[in-house]
Amino acid sequence: MATMSVSHKIVSRAEWLAARKALLAREKELTRLRDVLNQQRRELPWVRVEKNYVFDGPDGKVTLANLFDGRSQLIVQHFMFGPGWKEGCVGCSFKSDHIDGTLAHLEHHDVSFVSVSRAPLEEIETFKERMGWKFKWVSSYGSDFNYDFHVSFTLEEIASGKVFYNYAMIDASIEELSGDSVFYKDSSGDIYHTYSTHGRGDEQFVSTYMYLDIAPKGRNENGPRYNLTDWVRHHDRYEADGSVNEHGRYVAAKNVSACGCAESES
């Protein structure tokens, strides 16, 4: 469990109230700015999706159009889970723990949701069952989808040392990264890409962070990397002694297998 000492100025209730009201004014500024930013996000121009993307789903092949499931809006989570990984990225899993409770509300407000990963469907289904998630999750294995939306990278791109991610060229070290993309389908069936976000843009979908941000210790991410890899684990691994590497992959403790079982010594 993360620890951090908290030492704070102690004041009277009247002094606290004055300080709280001053902060409230700043919070209201942020709320109004967020409303403006959200409107500007909705006013972004759109790009027509010309390619017919096909995915592997639990019931067979599905197209991007199928994933709207009769609704006009679709949110895609680009979940970091590459072929052969056996389990998904810890950070993407952390975010995914927040999804199932929102689905009924999204779906009754004309929004569908799906996770997409390059791992083969069998590997996705095994991990999804382990995590107990219910949201729709399909495989883009063999598709250009992840590459076209700049969340997966070829070996040649990795070898070059730079990839295009989060709207900039960055140092390349891993074939999969995370993000979210949004699409709209009009009455004629045409599909448009309306928005994508990456990196810390994912934080807006993680309500655990919102709660931590109002707690006395905050996010309490105090190293070694000063991000979620310092403390977040797959929700079935918090009692284990493993760690998370810089790529968001779980690393089992010595003499413990990835499943959490003790390994026999030869």
Side-chain angles (χ1 to χ4, degrees):
M1 180 180 296
T3 60
M4 182 180 88
S5 61
V6 177
S7 177
H8 243 69
K9 181 180 180 181
I10 307 301
V11 299
S12 68
R13 174 59 62 177
E15 289 175 295
W16 180 89
L17 183 59
R20 178 64 188 95
K21 290 172 71 174
L23 180 62
L24 178 60
R26 298 298 306 278
E27 289 176 338
K28 288 184 176 182
E29 288 178 16
L30 179 60
T31 298
R32 288 190 288 269
L33 179 58
R34 184 184 299 113
D35 289 340
V36 172
L37 183 62
N38 287 339
Q39 180 62 33
Q40 292 173 339
R41 180 184 294 118
R42 291 189 292 271
E43 291 172 352
L44 279 172
W46 296 352
V47 177
R48 189 193 305 271
V49 178
E50 304 287 358
K51 191 174 292 187
N52 183 34
Y53 295 106
V54 179
F55 309 90
D56 292 318
D59 299 317
K61 299 289 185 181
V62 289
T63 65
L64 183 62
N66 296 146
L67 297 178
F68 283 80
D69 200 21
R71 302 178 182 90
S72 70
Q73 301 164 97
L74 174 67
I75 296 172
V76 170
Q77 175 182 221
H78 301 291
F79 193 121
M80 289 172 63
F81 191 179
W85 284 21
K86 306 304 180 186
E87 63 179 11
C89 155
V90 171
C92 293
S93 299
F94 179 43
K95 185 173 69 169
S96 295
D97 283 334
H98 299 78
I99 293 170
D100 283 341
T102 71
L103 289 180
H105 307 289
L106 290 174
E107 291 171 355
H108 284 84
H109 207 54
D110 195 31
V111 178
S112 290
F113 176 92
V114 64
S115 279
V116 176
S117 299
R118 274 204 320 119
L121 185 64
E122 181 180 359
E123 294 177 8
I124 289 174
E125 291 282 275
T126 298
F127 181 59
K128 181 182 177 184
E129 181 179 2
R130 171 186 146 193
M131 292 290 97
W133 294 325
K134 304 301 181 185
F135 57 81
K136 184 177 294 184
W137 195 351
V138 299
S139 169
S140 62
Y141 186 72
S143 164
D144 294 333
F145 184 77
N146 283 45
Y147 299 105
D148 289 350
F149 286 90
H150 305 290
V151 289
S152 294
F153 312 100
T154 65
L155 294 177
E156 290 76 17
E157 287 176 311
I158 297 296
S160 76
K162 295 284 186 178
V163 299
F164 185 75
Y165 177 71
N166 202 14
Y167 312 106
M169 298 302 294
I170 67 167
D171 293 336
S173 60
I174 188 172
E175 293 177 54
E176 309 292 329
L177 287 170
S178 65
D180 299 88
S181 292
V182 184
F183 302 88
Y184 178 78
K185 185 169 68 170
D186 66 19
S187 58
S188 67
D190 289 328
I191 298 173
Y192 303 88
H193 175 217
T194 69
Y195 181 71
S196 287
T197 188
H198 310 84
R200 290 194 66 185
D202 276 351
E203 290 180 4
Q204 62 191 307
F205 310 116
V206 181
S207 59
T208 296
Y209 268 152
M210 306 305 106
Y211 283 108
L212 289 176
D213 285 343
I214 67 169
K217 294 182 180 180
R219 300 189 182 188
N220 203 12
E221 295 172 344
N222 299 312
R225 298 190 185 90
Y226 302 94
N227 60 30
L228 64 81
T229 62
D230 293 341
W231 67 279
V232 174
R233 301 293 182 264
H234 294 113
H235 62 238
D236 60 349
R237 285 213 174 103
Y238 274 106
E239 305 306 317
D241 293 326
S243 61
V244 177
N245 67 20
E246 68 274 18
H247 300 312
R249 304 282 297 279
Y250 177 77
V251 179
K254 187 177 180 180
N255 296 326
V256 177
S257 69
C259 71
C261 309
E263 294 178 335
S264 59
E265 297 192 10
S266 56

